[in-house]
Every structure is written in C-alpha cells, then in structure tokens.
C-alpha cells in the first residue's frame, strides 16, 4: 500500500512538473528535498512525459527544432555541471564550514573576508601581469646588478632593474615584427591601471550593495528565527562528517539568533551613567592622542628615511639595512597600538561584544588611515619633488618594504598575541583562560595591507602578486592559530552585518582615499625624466591627451574624442554620477525602513 501510494505521488509530481514552463520546472526540481540523483531521475521522467505528450498531439518537431532543443538541453547541462565544479573548487570551502561550526559567524566573517581579498588580488595580478609585465619582457634589457639576497627584504639593489618597479618599464612602442602590430607601453600602462581601478570600483560597489541587500533589505533576514529552525536542513547531505558540521553550524546560528531575542537591557543609575560616559571619553582621548603621536613619529622618521635614499650607498650593507627602519617602526606601531585599543575596550565594558568590536575597528581605522595619509603626503610632496633620478621607484620600494614587514609582523602577532597568550593562560595564570580571536584588529590588518597594495600598483605593478602570496600564507597561519590557541567567543552574538561593514570600510575610506592619491599622481605630479614609461611628459595624464589629439584626425574615432572631452575631463559628469549613487542609496534606505515597519506590523498582528 505504501509503495503504491509513493508511486502515485511521484506520478502526480511528474505530471504537475510537465505542465509547468521550463524556468518554473527547473526551479521546482531544484527546491525538492531529495538527493541530486533522485532529482535527475525525476527530471528525465518529466522530459520523457513531455516528449510523449507532444507525440500524441501529432506535433512532431522538425529536425531543426529538435537540434535547437537538444543544443539547449546540452548547454543547460553543461552550465549546471560547470556551476557544480566551480562550487567544489571554491577555496577553503570545507575549512570555512569547520570554522563557522566551531567559532560562530563572527570569527567566520574574518576568514570569508580574507578569502574575498585573496580572490581580488589574484584578479589584480592577472590583469597587470598580462597587459603590463609580459609586453615589457619582450623589450627588457639584461640586468647587470648582482643578487645578494638582502634585496628580498629591502626591495633595492637587483630588483631595481626588474619588472617589479615602475622605473624599469620602457616608454617605447614595442614591435617585434617590422611593419607589424605595435604595443604602446605608455597607453598600456595608464589604461591598464585606470581600467583596473574602474573595475575595482564597480566590484566593491556591487559587493557592498549585495551584502547590504542580503543583510538589511532581504525579507528573509527578518524571519531568521523561524526559518533557521524549520527550513534550514539540507536533505542532500549524506556523509556523517557533513551532518555533524551542519548541526554545529545550525546550532551556532540559532544561538546567535536567540541572543537578539533575549537581549538584556541594563538599567544604570545616574551616577553609573556619568561614570561610563567619563570612561568612554577618556578612552577616546587616549586612543586619538596615541594615533596623533604615532603619525608625528612616522612623519619625522620618513623624512630621515629619504636622506638615507639620497646618500646613494646602495652597495653598503648598513645603508640597505637602515632602509628597513621606517617599515619596521610603522609595522610595530600598527601591531602594538591595536592591542592597547583592545585593552581600552575591555576597560569600557560594553554591553554587547558587537559594540566592542565596532568601536575597536573605528579606532584602528583612524590609526591606520592616518598613518597611510602621512606616508602618502611624504611620498607625493617630499619624495616626488626630491632630486632623485626615479622617485616613482623609490615610492615603490617603500611600499614593497611596508607590505613585506607588515606581513612578517602579522605572523609574529599570531605567535605573540595568541600562542604565548595561550601558554600564559593555561600555565602561568589559569584564570585568564584561552584568548579569543580579535576580529577588529585582524580585519583592520587586512584592510591596511590591501590599501598599501592599491597605492603601490602604479609604482610596482606586481605588488598584487606579492600580496596574493602573503594572504595565502596568512589564511593558513591564522586558521592553525585559531584552532590551537583560541576559544569560541564567550558571548554569542549575531553578526549578519559584519561582512557588509568590512566591505564598506574597504570601499570607504580605503579605496576612495587611494583613488585620490592615484588621481593626484596621474594629473598633478611630473614624472621622472630618466625612467619609466612617462619620462619626458609633463604628467602621466599627458600621454592620454596626446593620444586623443591623434584620434581627432580619424573620423571613426570621433566618439572616443567626444567621451574624453565631455565626460572624462568634466567635473559635472562625476558630480551627476555621485548624485545618482547617493539617490540609489537613499532609496535602498527607505526600502529598509519600509520593511522594518512592515515587520513590526506583522509581529503585532501575530501577537493579537
């Protein structure tokens, strides 16, 4: 009886699916709570049912129609297979599931952000290597400098005559075949960098919008408690290990959802409120004063760093080692001061872990962006106006050292901040216990490193490749340190909006600040006279202006000239574009308020 009942139910399902349109049928089959193999069997039965119905109607399709239908089915099957393959090839997919199950979504958000940055740098490296570095190899001259090994840390010496730095690239038009196609390195360099930043801007903007919609606008975000409990389980899971991981993930997410429901509202007396406000003010004064002192020290140290460059004793071991003073001091400040900020946060005793994390991130952002701003002022106003033969290469070397030393200090931070802290908490002072993973400090380390990479792309095109390797190593080091040294957060809290906050911080102020630096460099500063693809020009942008003048003589290229004169060089165009983005943001915000109001009304109706 049960067998025949199940058979009849499946026949009814096949019949209902056969009567649907193609898109509706695909979505309905995907949502069935069955294994992939069972879904394929049902799909084949549905296709067979549709074929038999068409034959009974006498509507035998023509040969051309059959070929088109077969091609469409094959293309769809190929797309589904390709999608499954890409899903399996996602970097560290299983590792992220384990981290989310053991430590919750707050810690998981850091590793998801790190993977996102790694993929972003892979894309950056491929663009620069393909359109700038490979053509330069065809016109490269032999490197006569000797390699000592110290260049790996200083970035000077042998590396000066390689494709790592701006100064090595030619300003000639590359052509290996006489009267054959040519490659203009000036245009290739500036257009590759420019188009890369435009693509990066769009990627960041759409990423912010996607996470913003997912965490704030999507109506499913407001029904999380019921859906997590009743509609989350994936019936395609069969292995025991995957079941255990799914159970742990679901348990952690339900706990995080319950913390929002059972949030305690603490009532303080007037005296306690005044005391808390005083503590918060003192903490902010101490953090801002520390940031100002750090920026002052970095500025005076960077001026002395330029004097070391101008001495020119590049073969002297002591002189090359002295070049590491600035990046070591900057990285030391960026490593130690965040620990001080975290200590201030513990003194302030915030009501929720989320408040502690966001305040710590804000203070670290002020510190790191201020230091990067001082360094950019030093590079654009002091190094660029110095008597150096190739100031762009000097800036590239500075950024290379900062990226490398910051990577080393990031690894040391895991050792001293987590490993030694675990040893102390388990042997010397047991009451401390295991440390928790500091999300705010580690996220700002990633944003700082990515900001340096974006600034350095113009002066060192292969810098994204170096950062790509650094992020790859950091992921594994942080993962091992997390699993062996840290404990899950003592207070479980929901972090649906954290990834949105991380991408937004990366977009503003990091990326927008970098665009300002690149804009000043390209439009205002005079390139070096003896090196680089823009030697002899009044500015890097002059290469584009000269190219547009050449295009004016060609009738077919009039549209390019019109776009350049009426859009690219007009402030009004960018004002209208910015206004459009702000209007769209405002509309999204109004949608959020409307959804929240509707949710409150629905809750009231349920209660009634």
């Amino acid at each position: 009886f049960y067998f025949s009942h199940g058979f009849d139910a499946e026949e009814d399902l096949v019949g209902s699916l056969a009567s649907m349109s193609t898109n509706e049928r695909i979505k309905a089959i995907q949502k069935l709570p069955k294994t992939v193999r069972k879904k394929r069997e049902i799909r084949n039965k549905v296709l067979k049912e549709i074929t038999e119905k068409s034959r009974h109607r006498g509507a035998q399709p023509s040969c051309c129609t059959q070929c088109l239908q077969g091609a469409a089915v094959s293309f769809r099957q190929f797309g589904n297979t390709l999608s499954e393959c890409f899903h399996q090839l996602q970097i560290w997919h299983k590792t992220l599931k384990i981290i989310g199950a053991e430590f919750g979504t707050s810690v998981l958000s850091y590793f998801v952000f790190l993977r996102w940055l790694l993929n972003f740098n892979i894309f950056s490296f491929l663009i620069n290597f393909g359109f700038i570095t490979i053509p330069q190899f065809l016109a490269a001259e032999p490197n006569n400098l000797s390699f000592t090994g110290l260049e790996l840390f200083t970035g000077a010496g042998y590396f000066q005559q390689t494709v790592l730095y701006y100064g090595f690239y030619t300003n000639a038009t590359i052509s290996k075949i006489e009267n054959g196609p040519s490659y203009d390195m000036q245009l290739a360099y500036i257009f590759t960098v420019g188009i890369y930043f435009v693509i990066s801007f769009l990627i960041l903007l759409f990423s912010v919008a996607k996470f913003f919609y997912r965490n704030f606008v999507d109506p499913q975000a407001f029904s999380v408690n019921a859906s997590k409990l009743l509609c989350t389980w994936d019936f395609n899971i069969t292995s025991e290990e995957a079941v255990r991981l799914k159970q742990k993930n679901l348990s952690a997410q339900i706990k995080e959802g319950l913390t929002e429901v059972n949030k305690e509202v603490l009532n303080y007396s007037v005296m306690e409120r005044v005391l808390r406000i005083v503590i918060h003010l003192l903490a902010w004064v101490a953090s801002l004063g520390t940031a100002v002192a750090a920026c002052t020290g970095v500025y005076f140290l960077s001026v002395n760093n330029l004097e070391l460059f101008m001495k020119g004793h590049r073969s002297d071991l002591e002189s090359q080692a002295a070049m590491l003073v600035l990046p070591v001091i900057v990285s030391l400040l960026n490593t130690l001061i965040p620990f001080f900020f975290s200590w201030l946060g513990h003194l302030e005793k915030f009501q929720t872990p989320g408040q502690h994390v966001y305040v710590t991130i804000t203070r670290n952002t002020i510190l790191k962006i201020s230091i990067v701003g001082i360094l950019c002022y030093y590079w654009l106003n002091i190094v660029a106006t110095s008597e150096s033969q190739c100031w762009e290469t000097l800036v590239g070397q500075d950024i290379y050292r900062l990226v490398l030393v910051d990577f080393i200090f990031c690894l040391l931070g895991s050792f001293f901040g987590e490993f030694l802290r675990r040893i102390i908490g388990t042997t010397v002072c047991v009451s401390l216990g295991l440390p928790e993973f500091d999300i705010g400090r580690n996220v700002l380390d990633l944003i700082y490193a990515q900001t340096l990479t974006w600034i350095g792309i113009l002066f060192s095109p292969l810098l994204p490749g170096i950062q790509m390797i650094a992020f790859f190593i950091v992921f594994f080091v942080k993962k091992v340190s997390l699993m062996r040294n840290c404990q899950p957060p003592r207070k479980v809290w929901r972090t649906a909006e954290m990834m949105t906050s991380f991408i937004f911080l990366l977009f503003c102020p990091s990326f927008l600040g970098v665009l300002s630096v690149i804009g000043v460099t390209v439009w205002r500063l005079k390139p070096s006279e003896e090196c680089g693809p823009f030697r002899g020009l009044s500015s890097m942008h002059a290469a584009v202006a000269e190219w547009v003048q050449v295009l004016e003589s060609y009738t077919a290229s009039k549209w390019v000239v019109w776009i350049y004169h009426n859009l690219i060089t007009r402030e009004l165009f960018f004002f209208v574009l910015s206004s459009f983005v702000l209007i769209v943001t405002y509309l999204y915000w109004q949608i959020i308020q409307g959804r929240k109001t509707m949710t409150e009304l629905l809750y009231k109706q349920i209660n009634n």
Side-chain angles (χ1 to χ4, degrees):
F1 171 75
Y2 287 113
F3 175 77
S4 61
H5 178 72
F7 182 78
D8 292 339
E10 184 172 315
E11 288 295 322
D12 292 339
L13 176 63
V14 171
S16 62
L17 290 172
S19 61
M20 297 180 182
S21 64
T22 303
N23 291 332
E24 291 177 348
R25 183 167 61 250
I26 292 172
K27 291 179 180 179
I29 293 176
Q30 287 176 347
K31 291 179 180 179
L32 290 175
K34 300 181 183 296
T35 62
V36 176
R37 181 179 297 177
K38 190 65 178 176
K39 289 180 181 180
R40 286 172 180 164
E41 291 178 1
I42 293 174
R43 183 191 63 188
N44 293 333
K45 288 181 180 180
V46 171
L47 293 176
K48 186 177 179 181
E49 179 78 12
I50 294 172
T51 305
E52 289 179 355
K53 285 183 178 180
S54 64
R55 286 176 180 173
H56 286 308
R57 291 170 187 163
Q60 183 69 22
S62 63
C63 180
C64 182
T65 305
Q66 288 181 347
C67 291
L68 289 175
Q69 290 177 350
V73 171
S74 301
F75 183 77
R76 186 166 62 247
Q77 291 176 347
F78 173 75
N80 293 334
T81 305
L82 199 63
S83 177
E84 291 177 4
C85 291
F86 276 120
H87 184 73
Q88 295 296 328
L89 290 175
Q90 278 187 348
I91 304 178
W92 306 310
H93 183 68
K94 184 178 178 180
T95 302
L96 293 177
K97 281 189 173 183
I98 295 173
I99 293 173
E102 297 290 341
F103 295 90
T105 56
S106 57
V107 178
L108 175 65
S109 61
Y110 166 80
F111 288 91
V112 173
F113 184 57
L114 176 54
R115 184 181 69 172
W116 190 90
L117 285 178
L118 176 63
N119 293 331
F120 198 90
N121 279 280
I122 292 174
F123 162 74
S124 308
F125 171 74
L126 292 177
I127 285 184
N128 287 346
F129 188 77
F131 293 97
I132 298 179
T133 305
I134 291 180
Q136 177 61 32
F137 279 132
L138 302 176
E141 298 178 357
N143 192 342
N144 298 321
L145 299 176
S146 59
F147 182 77
T148 62
L150 189 63
E151 293 89 346
L152 292 173
F153 297 97
T154 64
Y158 179 82
F159 285 155
Q160 284 184 325
Q161 299 298 322
T162 63
V163 292
L164 183 61
Y165 294 121
Y166 164 93
F168 183 72
Y169 289 84
T170 181
N171 64 337
T173 300
I174 301 172
S175 179
K176 285 296 181 181
I177 304 174
E178 189 175 354
N179 297 326
S182 59
Y183 197 83
D184 193 326
M185 277 301 296
Q186 282 188 348
L187 296 178
Y189 201 99
I190 194 167
F191 278 135
T192 300
V193 173
I195 293 174
Y196 163 75
F197 276 108
V198 171
I199 294 174
S200 300
F201 176 82
L202 295 176
I203 290 175
L204 286 171
L205 194 63
F206 282 113
S207 297
V208 170
K210 182 183 73 173
F211 287 108
F212 189 77
Y213 176 82
R214 182 184 300 172
N215 297 321
F216 293 98
V217 182
D218 192 355
Q220 292 182 1
F222 299 106
S223 60
V224 65
N225 297 327
S227 64
K228 290 295 181 192
L229 188 62
L230 302 174
C231 311
T232 300
W233 191 257
D234 187 356
F235 289 91
N236 294 327
I237 297 176
T238 55
S239 67
E240 293 183 4
E241 183 181 2
V243 168
R244 284 196 299 270
L245 277 178
K246 188 67 177 177
Q247 287 174 340
K248 287 184 177 181
N249 268 297
L250 183 57
S251 174
Q253 292 173 19
I254 291 175
K255 288 178 182 178
E256 292 167 359
L258 289 175
T259 56
E260 295 292 315
V261 178
N262 302 325
K263 188 183 296 182
E264 296 182 5
V265 180
L266 301 177
N267 295 319
Y268 295 103
S269 64
V270 176
M271 196 64 191
E272 288 175 336
R273 290 179 183 177
V274 172
L275 182 61
R276 287 178 63 84
I277 292 173
V278 170
I279 292 174
H280 288 318
L281 288 176
L282 290 176
W284 274 105
V285 169
S287 60
L288 293 176
T290 305
V292 170
C295 292
T296 304
V298 168
Y299 174 75
F300 287 107
L301 191 63
S302 60
V303 174
N304 294 330
N305 182 66
L306 180 63
E307 294 178 1
L308 286 174
F309 271 122
M310 299 308 296
K311 287 180 180 178
H313 304 299
R314 290 179 174 79
S315 60
D316 186 7
L317 181 64
E318 183 179 352
S319 178
Q320 289 203 25
M323 295 177 184
L324 294 172
V325 173
L326 175 64
V328 167
I329 296 298
V330 170
S331 298
L332 200 61
L333 292 173
N334 281 325
T335 302
L336 296 179
I337 294 178
F339 284 108
F340 173 66
F341 290 165
S342 296
W343 178 73
L344 287 177
H346 288 298
L347 287 182
E348 293 175 275
K349 295 181 181 179
F350 293 100
Q351 292 187 16
T352 64
Q355 292 177 353
H356 183 190
V357 169
Y358 285 122
V359 169
T360 304
I361 286 177
T362 303
R363 289 169 179 166
N364 286 331
T365 302
I366 293 173
L367 170 70
K368 293 179 183 293
I369 294 299
S370 300
I371 290 178
V372 172
I374 292 295
L375 290 173
C376 290
Y377 176 83
Y378 156 70
W379 290 326
L380 301 184
N381 290 276
I382 298 177
V383 177
T385 57
S386 64
E387 298 178 356
S388 171
Q389 291 182 349
C390 192
W391 65 266
E392 295 91 347
T393 296
L394 295 185
V395 174
Q397 290 175 0
D398 254 346
I399 298 176
Y400 172 88
R401 286 189 287 270
L402 285 168
V403 168
L404 182 66
V405 175
D406 178 73
F407 164 68
I408 295 173
F409 270 78
C410 182
L411 302 183
L412 293 177
S414 295
F415 178 77
F416 289 103
E418 294 163 2
F419 175 71
L420 290 184
R421 170 69 173 77
R422 176 179 70 86
I423 298 297
I424 294 172
T426 53
T427 57
V428 180
C429 186
V430 183
S431 60
L432 290 176
L434 295 175
E436 293 186 17
F437 189 78
D438 194 337
I439 302 170
R441 176 174 58 84
N442 285 284
V443 165
L444 265 296
D445 287 343
L446 297 181
I447 293 178
Y448 170 75
Q450 187 59 42
T451 304
L452 290 178
T453 304
W454 277 331
I455 296 173
I457 279 180
L458 189 63
F459 309 104
S460 179
L462 295 185
L463 204 58
I466 298 172
Q467 195 62 268
M468 175 182 66
I469 298 172
F471 282 157
F472 191 83
I473 297 173
V474 165
F475 186 96
F476 283 102
V477 171
K478 292 292 182 182
K479 176 224 169 185
V480 172
S481 178
L482 176 72
M483 294 296 185
R484 296 183 179 273
N485 302 323
C486 300
Q487 64 173 339
R490 294 185 182 92
K491 293 182 179 180
V492 181
W493 53 294
R494 189 165 173 258
T495 56
E497 70 279 359
M498 282 203 72
M499 192 63 185
T500 310
S501 304
F502 297 161
I503 300 293
F504 181 77
L505 282 175
L506 189 66
F507 179 69
C508 177
S510 177
F511 184 76
L512 295 183
V514 170
L515 286 183
S516 304
V517 174
I518 297 298
V520 171
T521 305
V522 171
W523 267 272
R524 296 293 179 86
L525 298 183
K526 181 177 175 59
S528 300
E529 294 287 345
E530 301 179 8
C531 71
F534 304 103
R535 66 190 79 175
L537 297 177
S538 59
S539 66
M540 295 183 184
H541 177 257
V544 179
E546 292 180 0
W547 177 66
V548 171
Q549 288 180 356
V550 173
L551 291 180
E552 289 179 352
S553 58
Y554 297 96
T555 307
S557 304
K558 291 292 184 182
W559 63 275
V560 178
V561 178
W562 185 90
I563 290 176
Y564 175 79
H565 287 299
N566 294 279
L567 298 181
I568 305 300
T569 60
R570 295 297 179 91
E571 294 84 356
L572 180 62
F573 169 72
F574 294 100
F575 174 77
V576 172
L577 186 64
S578 302
S579 301
F580 175 76
V581 172
L582 291 176
I583 291 172
V584 171
T585 305
Y586 174 76
L587 291 176
Y588 265 103
W589 181 258
Q590 290 300 314
I591 292 172
I592 294 169
Q593 300 304 317
R595 290 271 169 82
K596 287 182 178 179
T597 304
M598 181 61 67
T599 305
E600 292 175 359
L601 293 174
L602 290 174
Y603 274 129
K604 289 179 180 179
Q605 290 180 12
I606 292 171
N607 291 331
N608 292 334

